[in-house]
Amino acid sequence: MSGFVPGHFDDYPPSLGEEPSHPECPQDPVQTNLVISEVQQVTIYTILATVYFVITLLFRFATDSVPDPPDDTLELALGEEPSHLEQHLQDPGGIHLSGVQQVVITAIRATMSHLTSNKPVDVDQAVVEWNERIILPREPSSKVRVSVHASFELGPILSHGELLRTFEISVGELLDRSENSHPITFQPKQQEVVSPCASLFMIVEHRLSDENDAAVLCPLTTLTSSDALILRTDAGHGLLARYCRTQNNSDLDQSIIHFERAFDLCPMDHPHHPAALCNLATAKLVSCQANGTYLDLDIPLSLFQDALDLRPTGHPDRPITQFHLAIVLLSRFAIRGLQTDGDLAKELLREVLNVCDANSHIHRAALLAIETSALHPAGRTDANDLGQPAASLLPLSPDQLYNLAEQCRGRDDPRALDEVISLHYDALGYYNATHAYRVVLLGNLGLMLVTRFRRRGNDEDLDRAIALQKEALALCPVGHKDRSSFLNNLATQLSTRFEHRGNDEDLDQGIALHREALALHPVGHPDLSKSLNNLATQLSTRFKHQGNDEDLDHAIALQREALVFCPIGHPDRSSSLHNLAVQLSIRFNHRGDDEDLDRAIALQREALTLHPVGHPDRSKLLSNLATRLFARFNHRGNDEDLDQGIALQREALALCPVGHQDRSSSFNSLGAQLSTRFEHRGNDEDLDQAIALQREALALHPVGHPDRSLSLNNLANDLAARFEHRGKDTDLDQSIVLQREALALRQVGHPYRSMSLHNLAYHLYTRFEHRGNDEDLDQSLALQGEALALRPVGHLDRSKSFNSLAAQLSTRFEHRGNDKDLNQAIALQREALVLCPVGHPDRCMSLYNLATHLSSRFEHRRNEEDLNESREHLHCALTLLTQHDPLRLRVNSSLAEVFLSFYRSSPGPGQDTDSLDAAMHHLKAAANVVSAGLLSRLKASLRWVRRADQHTHGTQLEAYATSMQLLDAYVSTTASVAARHKVVKDLPSTLAVDAASCALRRGDARRAVELLEQGRTVIWTQMTRLRTPLDNLQTRGDHAVALRDKFRTLSFLLDKPPANFTERTPRVNVEAEEVRYRRLVEDWNRAVEEIRKIDGFSRFLLPPLFSDLQDAACDGPIIMLIASELSCDAIIIPHEQPLTNIQLPTNFERLQNLVLALDEARQKERNAKGHQRALVTALMELWDDVVGPVVKYLGEFARPGSRIWWCPTSLFNFLPLHAAGKYYGKHTQFLSQLYISSYTPSLTALIQARRKHDKSPSVPFAAVGQNLPAGASFTLECVEPELELVRSLLPPSPTVSFTKITSVDATKSRALHALRDNTWVHFACHGTQNYEEPFKSAFLMRDQPLSLLDIAQMDLSRHEFAFLSACETAVGDIHTPDEVIHLAAGLQFAGVKSVIGTLWTVDDETVQRLVEAFYANLCGDGKMNSKRAARALSRAVQSLARDKDIPLDQRIVFMHVGI
């Protein structure tokens, strides 16, 4: 018969994939592959009849060694024509060994697995003997190559058969093993279940040679036709075997060619003609099935029939030939339905059964074929199934079982699932432990049991699944090609059981199995990256459970390695990027290292780039990136992250149109994120849209859908949130109804039942708090109790249930006053702590929670033991945290509150100063937890400020300074001015003035000035820092010059306006710009630190000291006005004299009323005499409470008629200090008659304005006018005349180079160019102050507004003067008064030395007269000097005061800012 008969002619059925064990990894972080091993197929379907040996003698000489040949190589290259058939064996050197001492193998005994010999032995005989002598070389060092082959004929042998083993051994070792009776043993090779040849024992002895021995060693020098037949047959078998492994059609085609040529070498009378017929028939049958050409079945049928005709009754190979002929007939019967084929096949199979032993393989194969043909009528049987006698006893084919299983996994049909599981159990009854299909059935049945467990929660299913996987693994011993897959499957299911029961042994065993699987995937293995990922995922799980940092670090290292093996272009790179991002996010949550989170986002972004528009998985990658951005939003509070996350989720939803399988999950995700934004910003539209999305998701999950309970839960939670926001009872009631339905779908045994119980309990608890119905509270507690009961000892969420139940018991205690409830709540918290032993990652949080409850009980009962224990737990929690753990901030904050409780409960007020000091120590420590992020630290520092102020602690000033430093650092990380303003707006507006007031109360006025300068005008300070000149570094060496250049470059890049992204700009680009900006900030900060190391630059860009700030008063005293709720003060700063602190006779409330009174008074109509009494009254109060007390002291520092500068803070920014006076009475007195008043937003701004620059001989002056801007409803008639008036009052050329831009040409662009190119500017136009977004305050031009932001982004450091003849150019923002955000201040911060602005609306007539008087006083003598602007304005205003027809509010509307 043939030399090889394949066991099956198609692929094995596909295996079921395990669901991902980690819900955050859509890329299956735990890869499950069930692949049937390629075993010795002939052991199932044929008889291996003969074992023989081919001995190749290799002589190793000292001078010329022969390299070792590779193991298991064919002597003819597969698929290629032989290049020299005539040179089969080379002459080994003409050695003549006759008549000398010889080494001879006299006997060989082989222990086989399912193999027999060509001798008349039983087909299951395990030992084959060889008794022919084989002469070996005499030298002990000589090498012998031994090849063990198996053939399949019981009759004459054709070809070498299948090569089982090839090895080399020295003659000396053979002699030693023979003398000591040591056999040569073989372990199974990779992809082998068992070793087909388990051992060899050779009897070797020395003897004298004789004449016959020479004949044995005579080598072949040419190939006979018989040798060519052997080589052709060997090549055909090898190629056919390889085709069965690889499904490479080229191998199959070449195999047929070799068998055809072998057949040509065997004429009808050749003894091997029947075997050649069978070989060719087998290959042809495989080709029919591989190509689906079942009409060609007649060819292999005819060949098998011819072979059978040549093997009459009694021939040893007749039964196997009858069997294969029957298989072909049954295949044709299945396709064509000819009953004669079926009848003849059954007759042949019965004959096989009659002549073969019942325990033989051929008997069992024939029996299975008969039973299969009976179960599958003609036309319904797959012809491929009949090529697999081992599968023929199944009611359904393995492929059909697999398809049914996959259908069950895709829908929630309990009956179908039970039926498929039953069918798998039935199938197992037909396959014993030696059958190749059994291992797959075990694995797939295990997966179906896990599926049923996930849906019903029956522990027995999970335990049985694990037992089956263990049995499957046992069938894949070391060396089996599928061992790694079954190691992975068993590890995954152990992980599932760990998640369900929390048994550490399951988790540890799963990790050990994953490690073994990884060891089976060396570098170059296609599954290496998946195996690395699986182990990493489980290590991450163990970290979450046990808190061992090594597990997390190892998991990340493995994920990084997995990514290395998934280079650009690798199909798994995207999933590897995602999985590494997940692990880095976990570590970020644990340690708070911003780099981990940023890296995770970068990885997610790269993963997204691998899924461009049109990629089917793009929506999933968008959702993954959104998840990371939300994490960063929670850490840093950057609204742009939140908005971008939602934008990404919207894009993901857009890629999931109606009918898309992920559409419902996209609804859920976007709805959840909109809910988050609602919680953050309170926008009703977000919440309503979230609810609408959740309703759509629910509509896609009708009754019977497996995810319906999830949608019910999500919608219920959002409705409950809307109830809490709006108080609509129907929302709360509907949420409870939905939660009840969700709970009903999660029957007893459902894995998520405890979650539904918990959620329903929470909503009932909320309704109790709203309506006070005891029934709701009692039911809530009962549900929480049931939830706890479903989380038995060992359950991962048991401690969380304790926490929830404890909270509700505390509420019932507050409602009913039963001490038992409070005690039980604490007892539950103690149990939760027990479940978090030392080393558990949640132990610190559990300690923290228990401490909080104990502290609450102390407040109720004043039992000092509770407070002591609370302190102890918090101390313990603190010791468990690493130095960089962000949780340290919260624990320190809680410890501070506990110590404050100790302080407040001390016997005498203020006696326990140690507790107060400890509290402040922990508040300070909380503010200094760097890993907690700037925003969290800033909030912690503000808590420190409040407590230190409350108890007048010595750390007050340090707390204030820390807060302002953190504020400055946090603001610097935001790229846009609008974002910076929002940050400042959301924080206490009086931080700086409160700090200064605190310093004044401590008698340190100099420190008060420093704190004011540090904590005010933060946004402007950020801008001006980037324009700091560093010319002094020029002479400090090359390093200093390099630092200067680096600083200038970085400052230039940071000072550039941020990119103006449109709505169509990909969010990836926006995020990349943000990352770029943050990195620039970091580089800039490092450059600043390096500059500070240079001698003389130690305080470079640090908050200025008073000694430096005092230089601002070189031209006259500066009065800083401080308005705090603690006190209202004035500080007079002379140039070289000690400053003076004055406590003003007013308070914060009076100032608020005064600001309101002034605003109302200036808008009131004048009386019959043209007076504005209310305004006068307010200005007189301003004199009495503020200006008058200051004037009393000014005489010491300034002579009458000299200049003074006001630097107001807080509410003082909205008062016209220059207009204060005693307007009535015998002794009228006005500030404007005593001193010339100017304003400055900060001392630093005034110092910078005094910097000298080279001036051009001709003053470039531009007058810009716009009488009808875009959107205006009326024309300003005075604009054009005003421009001409200014021109007429200025000195002529060459003193002044005048440019006039009239309304026709005054666009935003022309105005910007005029402002840039002229150091003196006069604006005559509409002006507006934007109170919501003050940086959008603007001069209105013909096309677009020229905004304050446009001006702020310009470098006007060489500019001298600007006259702002427009309304509201110096008003400011009431929400952030100390930022001094108005047009006049913006021009000064941009570099203009002297600015004239307006406090409110100005009349045309007033403007004309004031402009004329101002310029006449400024440059009437033909000279242009910006320092004269304040005096010129003062004189112009006095000239207007003499005209009683001009209202008072118009006479005082103009003010001067700058030098």
Side-chain angles (χ1 to χ4, degrees):
M1 66 172 277
S2 67
F4 182 89
V5 179
H8 62 89
F9 306 128
D10 63 350
D11 287 337
Y12 285 102
S15 59
L16 300 178
E18 180 69 272
E19 294 178 358
S21 61
H22 196 298
E24 199 172 10
C25 299
Q27 289 81 13
D28 287 343
V30 179
Q31 185 69 30
T32 301
N33 295 311
L34 295 186
V35 181
I36 294 182
S37 303
E38 289 183 34
V39 299
Q40 292 295 321
Q41 300 160 8
V42 293
T43 65
I44 300 174
Y45 310 116
T46 68
I47 302 171
L48 299 182
T50 305
V51 173
Y52 64 97
F53 301 93
V54 177
I55 306 298
T56 302
L57 304 182
L58 302 178
F59 300 97
R60 179 167 294 171
F61 299 99
T63 58
D64 188 15
S65 62
V66 179
D68 295 337
D71 189 22
D72 292 344
T73 55
L74 290 174
E75 292 158 25
L76 181 67
L78 298 181
E80 299 177 359
E81 291 293 327
S83 59
H84 48 277
L85 290 175
E86 70 281 1
Q87 298 294 326
H88 180 52
L89 292 177
Q90 298 296 322
D91 189 343
I95 301 175
H96 181 70
L97 302 177
S98 179
V100 297
Q101 185 74 14
Q102 301 285 339
V103 180
V104 181
I105 300 176
T106 59
I108 302 175
R109 182 182 298 110
T111 303
M112 314 305 293
S113 299
H114 312 300
L115 304 177
T116 62
S117 72
N118 64 338
K119 301 178 182 181
V121 296
D122 185 80
V123 293
D124 289 323
Q125 181 176 324
V127 178
V128 179
E129 293 188 357
W130 184 282
N131 294 310
E132 296 180 15
R133 289 177 296 166
I134 302 172
I135 300 175
L136 302 178
R138 290 174 297 167
E139 293 296 326
S141 62
S142 296
K143 294 287 186 179
V144 178
R145 185 181 188 210
V146 181
S147 298
V148 183
H149 296 251
S151 187
F152 309 92
E153 296 91 24
L154 287 171
I157 298 171
L158 173 59
S159 86
H160 294 109
E162 183 178 359
L163 178 64
L164 301 182
R165 289 290 175 186
T166 297
F167 66 95
E168 289 185 4
I169 190 169
S170 68
V171 173
E173 184 176 353
L174 279 175
L175 287 166
D176 291 340
R177 287 181 175 274
S178 176
E179 291 175 2
N180 298 310
S181 299
H182 288 164
I184 302 169
T185 59
F186 305 101
Q187 293 297 322
K189 296 185 292 184
Q190 188 175 6
Q191 300 181 345
E192 284 184 347
V193 180
V194 295
S195 176
C197 180
S199 68
L200 287 176
F201 178 66
M202 300 184 184
I203 300 176
V204 185
E205 62 185 39
H206 288 88
R207 59 180 294 281
L208 291 174
S209 63
D210 57 29
E211 294 296 329
N212 294 328
D213 291 335
V216 175
L217 280 175
C218 183
L220 294 174
T221 58
T222 60
L223 285 176
T224 66
S225 61
S226 177
D227 298 319
L229 173 61
I230 292 172
L231 288 175
R232 290 291 183 186
T233 305
D234 275 342
H237 290 323
L239 287 161
L240 186 58
R242 192 163 75 185
Y243 166 77
C244 292
R245 292 193 302 272
T246 66
Q247 303 298 300
N248 186 337
N249 287 331
S250 175
D251 288 340
L252 179 57
D253 294 339
Q254 288 293 325
S255 173
I256 292 174
I257 291 173
H258 282 296
F259 283 137
E260 286 175 340
R261 293 183 180 177
F263 178 73
D264 292 339
L265 296 173
C266 296
M268 180 66 69
D269 58 347
H270 196 285
H272 295 309
H273 186 75
L277 283 167
C278 285
N279 286 340
L280 182 56
T282 298
K284 289 286 188 179
L285 179 57
V286 172
S287 178
C288 289
Q289 295 184 322
N291 300 317
T293 55
Y294 295 107
L295 295 178
D296 295 335
L297 283 172
D298 293 343
I299 297 174
L301 189 148
S302 175
L303 293 169
F304 277 125
Q305 183 64 61
D306 291 345
L308 182 63
D309 292 341
L310 295 174
R311 288 169 171 171
T313 301
H315 192 285
D317 291 323
R318 181 176 176 81
I320 193 64
T321 309
Q322 289 176 309
F323 173 79
H324 283 104
L325 178 59
I327 291 300
V328 180
L329 286 166
L330 286 175
S331 297
R332 192 169 71 175
F333 171 68
I335 300 300
R336 303 178 186 175
L338 298 175
Q339 190 59 47
T340 54
D341 283 345
D343 294 340
L344 180 56
K346 292 177 183 178
E347 181 179 348
L348 289 167
L349 292 171
R350 290 192 191 98
E351 288 185 31
V352 172
L353 295 176
N354 291 335
V355 299
C356 292
D357 186 272
N359 293 322
S360 67
H361 296 298
I362 187 63
H363 186 282
R364 291 196 292 270
L367 182 62
L368 292 174
I370 290 174
E371 294 177 352
T372 298
S373 65
L375 289 168
H376 296 284
R380 294 180 56 190
T381 304
D382 189 333
N384 285 335
D385 290 343
L386 294 171
Q388 304 176 54
S392 60
L393 227 164
L394 295 178
L396 296 175
S397 71
D399 281 333
Q400 291 172 313
L401 278 175
Y402 167 79
N403 291 333
L404 285 176
E406 282 292 274
Q407 292 173 13
C408 284
R409 283 158 61 90
R411 69 177 192 271
D412 191 6
D413 186 342
R415 287 189 60 187
L417 180 60
D418 292 341
E419 182 177 353
V420 168
I421 290 174
S422 177
L423 287 171
H424 276 78
Y425 273 120
D426 290 343
L428 282 179
Y430 299 111
Y431 299 103
N432 60 25
T434 64
H435 198 283
Y437 279 159
R438 183 172 181 83
V439 68
V440 158
L441 287 171
L442 287 166
N444 289 352
L445 176 56
L447 292 180
M448 297 309 298
L449 288 169
V450 169
T451 299
R452 189 164 70 181
F453 160 75
R454 293 186 187 281
R455 295 178 182 177
R456 304 180 194 174
N458 187 341
D459 285 4
E460 292 182 5
D461 281 339
L462 182 57
D463 292 337
R464 180 58 180 156
I466 290 173
L468 290 169
Q469 291 291 2
K470 288 183 177 180
E471 183 181 347
L473 182 60
L475 294 177
C476 300
V478 174
H480 193 284
K481 75 179 184 65
D482 294 324
R483 181 170 176 82
S484 63
S485 297
F486 286 96
L487 286 166
N488 174 73
N489 292 346
L490 178 55
T492 299
Q493 294 179 10
L494 287 167
S495 174
T496 300
R497 189 164 69 182
F498 164 75
E499 292 172 358
H500 182 59
R501 299 178 188 169
N503 187 341
D504 285 357
E505 291 183 8
D506 284 338
L507 181 58
D508 293 338
Q509 187 179 355
I511 289 173
L513 291 167
H514 277 310
R515 290 189 192 279
E516 184 180 348
L518 178 59
L520 296 176
H521 294 156
V523 174
H525 194 285
D527 292 332
L528 175 59
S529 62
K530 295 177 182 177
S531 195
L532 288 164
N533 169 68
N534 293 343
L535 178 56
T537 301
Q538 294 306 310
L539 288 168
S540 178
T541 299
R542 187 163 70 182
F543 162 75
K544 294 176 185 176
H545 182 61
Q546 298 177 2
N548 187 344
D549 283 6
E550 291 182 5
D551 282 340
L552 181 57
D553 291 337
H554 190 193
I556 291 174
L558 290 168
Q559 292 289 12
R560 291 189 192 279
E561 187 177 353
L563 183 59
V564 169
F565 291 110
C566 297
I568 295 174
H570 193 284
D572 293 331
R573 182 168 178 82
S574 174
S575 63
S576 190
L577 287 164
H578 170 75
N579 293 334
L580 177 55
V582 170
Q583 304 298 344
L584 288 169
S585 297
I586 292 172
R587 189 164 71 181
F588 162 76
N589 293 332
H590 179 57
R591 299 179 187 169
D593 187 343
D594 285 5
E595 289 187 9
D596 280 341
L597 183 56
D598 289 338
R599 178 60 177 155
I601 291 174
L603 291 166
Q604 292 286 13
R605 290 198 182 283
E606 183 182 348
L608 182 60
T609 62
L610 297 177
H611 297 76
V613 175
H615 194 286
D617 292 332
R618 181 171 173 81
S619 61
K620 295 178 181 177
L621 272 295
L622 288 164
S623 180
N624 293 341
L625 177 55
T627 300
R628 303 290 160 258
L629 289 169
F630 270 100
R632 190 165 68 184
F633 161 74
N634 291 328
H635 179 58
R636 298 179 184 164
N638 187 343
D639 284 356
E640 293 182 18
D641 281 340
L642 176 61
D643 293 334
Q644 185 183 357
I646 290 175
L648 291 168
Q649 288 292 1
R650 289 191 191 280
E651 185 181 349
L653 177 59
L655 295 175
C656 300
V658 175
H660 194 283
Q661 61 179 356
D662 293 331
R663 186 168 175 82
S664 61
S665 63
S666 289
F667 281 140
N668 276 325
S669 298
L670 179 56
Q673 293 168 11
L674 286 167
S675 295
T676 299
R677 189 164 71 179
F678 162 75
E679 294 171 1
H680 179 62
R681 300 179 188 171
N683 187 341
D684 287 358
E685 184 179 349
D686 282 341
L687 182 57
D688 291 336
Q689 189 176 357
I691 291 173
L693 289 166
Q694 295 294 2
R695 289 194 190 281
E696 289 202 56
L698 182 60
L700 293 175
H701 296 156
V703 175
H705 194 284
D707 292 331
R708 181 170 176 80
S709 63
L710 173 65
S711 288
L712 288 165
N713 173 76
N714 292 344
L715 178 56
N717 289 338
D718 283 342
L719 288 169
R722 189 165 70 179
F723 160 75
E724 293 177 356
H725 182 60
R726 300 179 189 170
K728 189 176 180 181
D729 285 2
T730 54
D731 281 341
L732 181 58
D733 293 335
Q734 187 182 0
S735 74
I736 291 174
V737 170
L738 293 169
Q739 286 290 6
R740 289 191 189 280
E741 183 182 349
L743 180 61
L745 292 175
R746 293 170 174 177
Q747 294 291 325
V748 174
H750 193 285
Y752 296 128
R753 180 172 175 80
S754 63
M755 181 189 297
S756 288
L757 288 164
H758 171 82
N759 291 342
L760 178 56
Y762 173 78
H763 296 320
L764 288 167
Y765 171 70
T766 301
R767 190 165 69 180
F768 161 75
E769 290 188 321
H770 179 58
R771 300 178 187 170
N773 186 342
D774 285 358
E775 185 178 346
D776 282 340
L777 179 59
D778 292 336
Q779 188 177 357
S780 174
L781 282 162
L783 291 167
Q784 287 289 7
E786 186 179 348
L788 178 60
L790 291 177
R791 293 167 174 176
V793 175
H795 194 284
L796 290 177
D797 293 329
R798 184 170 174 81
S799 62
K800 297 176 183 177
S801 291
F802 284 145
N803 282 326
S804 299
L805 188 54
Q808 294 180 14
L809 286 168
S810 295
T811 298
R812 190 166 71 178
F813 161 75
E814 294 172 2
H815 182 61
R816 301 177 185 174
N818 187 342
D819 286 358
K820 182 179 179 181
D821 284 339
L822 181 58
N823 292 334
Q824 187 178 355
I826 292 176
L828 289 169
Q829 292 289 4
R830 293 190 190 282
E831 288 198 58
L833 180 60
V834 171
L835 293 177
C836 299
V838 175
H840 193 285
D842 294 334
R843 180 168 177 80
C844 178
M845 184 59 72
S846 191
L847 286 164
Y848 173 82
N849 290 338
L850 178 56
T852 301
H853 282 271
L854 290 167
S855 181
S856 297
R857 188 165 69 178
F858 165 77
E859 296 297 331
H860 176 65
R861 300 181 185 172
R862 314 304 294 180
N863 184 343
E864 195 166 333
E865 290 182 3
D866 286 338
L867 196 59
N868 285 326
E869 187 180 354
S870 177
R871 177 177 58 186
E872 180 182 348
H873 288 319
L874 288 170
H875 273 306
C876 185
L878 196 59
T879 61
L880 292 177
L881 296 172
T882 64
Q883 182 180 358
H884 302 293
D885 196 313
L887 188 57
R888 293 182 70 88
L889 187 148
R890 294 175 61 186
V891 176
N892 273 303
S893 296
S894 295
L895 265 171
E897 294 304 315
V898 167
F899 278 113
L900 285 172
S901 294
F902 275 114
Y903 175 73
R904 289 190 293 265
S905 62
S906 59
Q911 289 187 4
D912 188 6
T913 57
D914 289 343
S915 292
L916 182 61
D917 291 341
M920 298 304 145
H921 164 78
H922 286 291
L923 287 169
K924 177 180 178 180
N928 288 316
V929 178
V930 176
S931 59
L934 286 171
L935 182 59
S936 296
R937 294 175 63 200
L938 176 58
K939 293 178 179 179
S941 70
L942 293 174
R943 286 193 294 271
W944 181 18
V945 166
R946 287 196 301 272
R947 293 304 191 188
D949 271 347
Q950 180 182 354
H951 299 285
T952 319
H953 192 262
T955 60
Q956 277 178 288
L957 290 179
E958 185 182 4
Y960 277 114
T962 301
S963 295
M964 288 186 284
Q965 180 183 354
L966 290 170
L967 172 62
D968 181 78
Y970 181 60
V971 170
S972 71
T973 62
T974 56
S976 70
V977 173
R980 293 173 186 171
H981 179 254
K982 186 179 185 307
V983 169
V984 175
K985 186 177 179 180
D986 290 342
L987 294 171
S989 62
T990 60
L991 181 63
V993 293
D994 288 343
S997 179
C998 174
L1000 290 174
R1001 293 195 306 274
R1002 294 178 176 274
D1004 193 347
R1006 295 165 65 96
R1007 183 62 175 145
V1009 174
E1010 292 172 347
L1011 290 170
L1012 284 172
E1013 202 67 13
Q1014 180 183 356
R1016 296 175 66 254
T1017 64
V1018 174
I1019 299 173
W1020 293 119
T1021 301
Q1022 297 280 347
M1023 295 181 184
T1024 55
R1025 280 180 188 158
L1026 302 176
R1027 301 167 189 173
T1028 303
L1030 279 173
D1031 296 335
N1032 293 338
L1033 283 178
Q1034 184 71 35
T1035 60
R1036 300 303 179 95
D1038 293 342
H1039 177 63
V1041 172
L1043 283 176
R1044 181 202 62 183
D1045 294 341
K1046 182 178 182 180
F1047 175 82
R1048 286 178 175 175
T1049 301
L1050 292 169
S1051 295
F1052 171 78
L1053 294 173
L1054 289 171
D1055 199 28
K1056 289 175 61 178
N1060 187 19
F1061 293 115
T1062 65
E1063 294 181 357
R1064 296 183 179 180
T1065 303
R1067 294 303 303 176
V1068 173
N1069 295 348
V1070 177
E1071 177 61 21
E1073 176 61 23
E1074 292 176 354
V1075 172
R1076 184 194 71 86
Y1077 186 86
R1078 281 197 301 274
R1079 288 176 179 171
L1080 283 175
V1081 171
E1082 293 171 359
D1083 291 343
W1084 186 87
N1085 286 331
R1086 283 192 286 268
V1088 169
E1089 290 295 331
E1090 288 298 312
I1091 291 173
R1092 288 174 184 161
K1093 295 177 183 178
I1094 298 174
D1095 187 32
F1097 286 82
S1098 60
R1099 293 201 57 81
F1100 177 66
L1101 293 185
L1102 287 175
L1105 300 176
F1106 177 77
S1107 57
D1108 299 320
L1109 293 171
Q1110 197 169 12
D1111 288 341
C1114 63
D1115 290 335
I1118 300 170
I1119 304 99
M1120 300 191 80
L1121 298 176
I1122 304 165
S1124 167
E1125 292 187 356
L1126 302 173
S1127 65
C1128 292
D1129 300 90
I1131 302 176
I1132 301 176
I1133 306 173
H1135 183 215
E1136 294 179 344
Q1137 298 171 262
L1139 51 74
T1140 299
N1141 175 33
I1142 306 166
Q1143 185 166 353
L1144 300 175
T1146 187
N1147 56 44
F1148 197 82
E1149 184 178 357
R1150 278 175 61 86
L1151 282 178
Q1152 284 180 315
N1153 294 333
L1154 180 58
V1155 171
L1156 293 174
L1158 277 164
D1159 188 56
E1160 293 174 0
R1162 69 176 182 80
Q1163 299 181 53
K1164 287 184 178 180
E1165 294 291 334
R1166 287 168 284 177
N1167 61 18
K1169 295 182 179 181
H1171 296 159
Q1172 293 176 290
R1173 290 191 176 276
L1175 181 57
V1176 169
T1177 301
L1179 292 173
M1180 290 179 65
E1181 183 179 345
L1182 178 58
W1183 173 269
D1184 293 336
D1185 290 350
V1186 180
V1187 177
V1190 172
V1191 169
K1192 290 180 181 179
Y1193 289 91
L1194 275 177
E1196 301 178 17
F1197 312 106
R1199 57 181 174 78
S1202 64
R1203 295 188 61 186
I1204 62 173
W1205 277 263
W1206 298 95
C1207 184
T1209 70
S1210 187
L1211 294 173
F1212 287 118
N1213 281 289
F1214 306 102
L1215 298 173
L1217 300 166
H1218 61 281
K1222 286 188 175 183
Y1223 283 79
Y1224 299 121
K1226 295 180 180 179
H1227 303 289
T1228 59
Q1229 192 175 22
F1230 304 97
L1231 177 63
S1232 59
Q1233 295 175 346
L1234 299 173
Y1235 300 101
I1236 299 171
S1237 292
S1238 293
Y1239 293 83
T1240 182
S1242 70
L1243 304 184
T1244 302
L1246 191 58
I1247 292 172
Q1248 291 174 342
R1250 289 201 173 100
R1251 287 176 181 163
K1252 295 181 179 180
H1253 299 283
D1254 295 335
K1255 298 180 181 180
S1256 61
S1258 179
V1259 173
F1261 193 113
V1264 182
Q1266 181 52 255
N1267 60 11
L1268 188 63
S1273 59
F1274 62 92
T1275 301
L1276 294 174
E1277 300 294 344
C1278 68
V1279 168
E1280 298 301 332
E1282 182 178 334
L1283 298 182
E1284 186 58 28
L1285 176 62
V1286 171
R1287 186 200 64 77
S1288 67
L1289 294 171
L1290 292 175
S1293 178
T1295 304
V1296 173
S1297 175
F1298 182 78
T1299 301
K1300 182 171 71 171
I1301 302 176
T1302 61
S1303 300
V1304 175
D1305 299 321
T1307 62
K1308 174 182 177 179
S1309 176
R1310 287 293 303 275
L1312 280 172
H1313 280 86
L1315 184 58
R1316 181 193 62 194
D1317 298 336
N1318 295 272
T1319 59
W1320 291 64
V1321 184
H1322 182 103
F1323 280 98
C1325 58
H1326 275 292
T1328 178
Q1329 175 75 23
N1330 189 317
Y1331 293 97
E1332 292 301 320
E1333 298 180 73
F1335 278 96
K1336 290 185 178 180
S1337 302
F1339 300 113
L1340 304 183
M1341 296 292 111
R1342 193 184 69 173
D1343 55 348
Q1344 300 177 58
L1346 173 58
S1347 71
L1348 174 57
L1349 182 57
D1350 295 326
I1351 295 170
Q1353 291 170 346
M1354 300 179 72
D1355 181 7
L1356 306 178
S1357 58
R1358 295 182 177 273
H1359 284 49
E1360 293 288 332
F1361 174 75
F1363 192 112
L1364 311 183
S1365 180
C1367 300
E1368 301 179 336
T1369 58
V1371 177
D1373 172 29
I1374 191 66
H1375 301 293
T1376 56
D1378 282 322
E1379 289 305 300
V1380 199
I1381 307 173
H1382 52 68
L1383 290 164
L1387 282 164
Q1388 187 183 21
F1389 278 113
V1392 181
K1393 300 180 183 302
S1394 186
V1395 183
I1396 304 293
T1398 55
L1399 290 173
W1400 45 75
T1401 303
V1402 59
D1403 295 340
D1404 290 351
E1405 182 180 356
T1406 302
V1407 169
Q1408 288 280 5
R1409 295 182 61 179
L1410 186 129
V1411 166
E1412 183 176 4
F1414 171 77
Y1415 281 105
N1417 283 283
L1418 176 69
C1419 53
D1421 59 358
K1423 297 178 180 179
M1424 300 291 288
N1425 186 345
S1426 60
K1427 279 190 169 186
R1428 302 167 68 177
R1431 190 174 300 276
L1433 178 62
S1434 176
R1435 291 175 179 174
V1437 170
Q1438 288 177 10
S1439 68
L1440 294 181
R1442 291 191 287 270
D1443 187 346
K1444 301 302 181 183
D1445 291 334
I1446 298 179
L1448 177 59
D1449 68 293
Q1450 291 298 296
R1451 298 199 300 267
I1452 64 175
V1453 67
F1454 286 93
M1455 47 96 76
H1456 175 259
V1457 179
I1459 64 173

